[in-house]
Amino acid sequence: MHKTIISVAVVGGGPTKEMNPAVPYTPKEIADAAIECCAAGAAITHIHVRDPETGIVCSRFELFQEVVERIREKCDIVINLTTSGANIKGENVIEERLEPLQLRPEICSFDVGSMNTMRGAFINSPEWNQVAPRRMREMSVKPEIEVFDMGHMRQALDLIDQALFEDPPFVQFCMGVRWGIDGTVENLLMMQNQLPPGIPWSVLGVGKTQLPMITMGILLGGHVRVGFEDNIYLRRGVLLKSNAEMVEVAANLIRQLQREVASPDDAREILGIA
């Protein structure tokens, strides 16, 4: 039976406690959310960190370190640390973005293309596209190749052709992000059809596109991502009580569609993580 990986992004750069009181800020809250999601069926957790006092997104190494240590103490979920670093400014942006690799996560996010967002320009330069995957490969960290539109997809395929990634590459389709590709069935099919056969992929949908996108992802044989980074609602007007509540929705959907929920060790095998 096909096994479907559930990734959970327990907090990103957008949601706040004012939007949903369950949004985690502190390293303990973030780690506890990931541990709870592992028990609910998530095989991978994607981690951003926030300033514990203000809730503002940040990239402080010691916060990543505390989250990783707390998670590893309690469960074996695959840890995926962000390297997006949209908040990082200065002369050594690439090196600062890559600092989380020192914690030896099994996966790190790798954004291949630049785009405008609600908070400004998200820049991923050609230099970044060469330095980051090489450094990740040197440190035995699997890149999660994040694509937000078809231009990003073409860049990702070019980097795959350059053999910058250990086999198999792992691609995350980010659907429904404002000014990225819309979260529609047609667009997901178009993205999926660009990939060479045999490359594992996952899909996320932002906001109201989350449930349709993960449903299509399961049906098409891909993997799925949920979590507060992408959506804080169970349904229109009803806030999620926790990240784990949406993981449970995804896990039940996978079973209803005659698939099997992948364990952390299943995810490691599927993605070629030693």
Side-chain angles (χ1 to χ4, degrees):
M1 182 180 291
H2 177 81
K3 294 182 178 181
T4 304
I5 298 168
I6 302 173
S7 295
V8 59
V10 295
V11 63
T16 65
K17 287 185 182 293
E18 287 73 28
M19 298 174 182
N20 184 329
V23 172
Y25 282 178
T26 70
K28 183 180 186 303
E29 289 173 341
I30 293 168
D32 286 348
I35 294 162
E36 184 181 9
C37 288
C38 183
I44 299 173
T45 184
H46 178 54
I47 300 295
H48 290 251
V49 292
R50 299 286 192 91
D51 182 287
E53 301 298 326
T54 66
I56 295 172
V57 65
C58 69
S59 299
R60 283 160 46 194
F61 181 81
E62 69 272 15
L63 298 178
F64 280 113
Q65 184 174 29
E66 183 178 348
V67 173
V68 168
E69 289 174 352
R70 286 179 177 276
I71 293 172
R72 286 178 173 162
E73 185 180 330
K74 295 290 181 66
C75 72
D76 68 340
I77 195 168
V78 177
I79 296 175
N80 174 358
L81 298 183
T82 184
T83 63
S84 62
N87 59 298
I88 297 174
K89 311 296 180 186
E91 296 181 359
N92 297 308
V93 171
I94 289 179
E95 290 303 319
E96 289 188 49
R97 288 177 67 173
L98 293 174
E99 274 192 347
L101 271 66
Q102 298 175 37
L103 296 169
R104 302 294 193 192
E106 291 172 279
I107 301 175
C108 267
S109 64
F110 169 52
D111 299 281
V112 298
S114 301
M115 64 182 294
N116 288 333
T117 72
M118 293 287 289
R119 294 183 294 276
F122 181 34
I123 304 298
N124 296 291
S125 67
E127 181 186 6
W128 165 257
N129 281 350
Q130 293 295 315
V131 172
R134 294 178 194 277
R135 186 77 56 81
M136 292 177 189
R137 187 165 185 167
E138 289 170 4
M139 301 185 75
S140 299
V141 178
K142 168 75 70 173
E144 179 191 75
I145 307 166
E146 300 201 351
V147 296
F148 292 80
D149 64 25
M150 285 303 296
H152 295 182
M153 190 73 219
R154 288 191 289 273
Q155 291 180 71
L157 292 173
D158 181 66
L159 297 174
I160 290 170
D161 287 343
Q162 293 179 45
L164 292 180
F165 311 106
E166 292 281 0
D167 287 332
F170 177 39
V171 178
Q172 176 74 256
F173 300 142
C174 305
M175 314 293 291
V177 177
R178 183 173 289 191
W179 303 321
I181 195 165
D182 288 338
T184 67
V185 171
E186 294 80 6
N187 285 342
L188 179 56
L189 286 168
M190 179 173 61
M191 298 277 268
Q192 189 236 352
N193 286 335
Q194 295 298 308
L195 279 183
I199 291 182
W201 57 273
S202 176
V203 62
L204 66 86
V206 171
K208 66 182 181 181
T209 71
Q210 183 173 75
L211 188 58
M213 288 298 95
I214 68 170
T215 303
M216 283 301 301
I218 297 164
L219 290 171
L220 292 171
H223 307 284
V224 299
R225 187 179 106 173
V226 296
F228 282 173
E229 180 173 358
D230 307 327
N231 173 46
I232 57 174
Y233 288 92
L234 178 63
R235 55 183 176 271
R236 183 186 295 272
V238 179
L239 290 170
L240 284 161
K241 297 175 183 176
S242 66
N243 279 281
E245 186 175 19
M246 194 63 208
V247 172
E248 290 170 358
V249 170
N252 289 334
L253 185 59
I254 288 166
R255 297 185 187 104
Q256 289 170 357
L257 294 174
Q258 305 301 305
R259 270 68 169 179
E260 185 176 343
V261 178
S263 70
D265 281 344
D266 291 330
R268 293 180 176 99
E269 181 176 355
I270 293 166
L271 300 180
I273 297 172

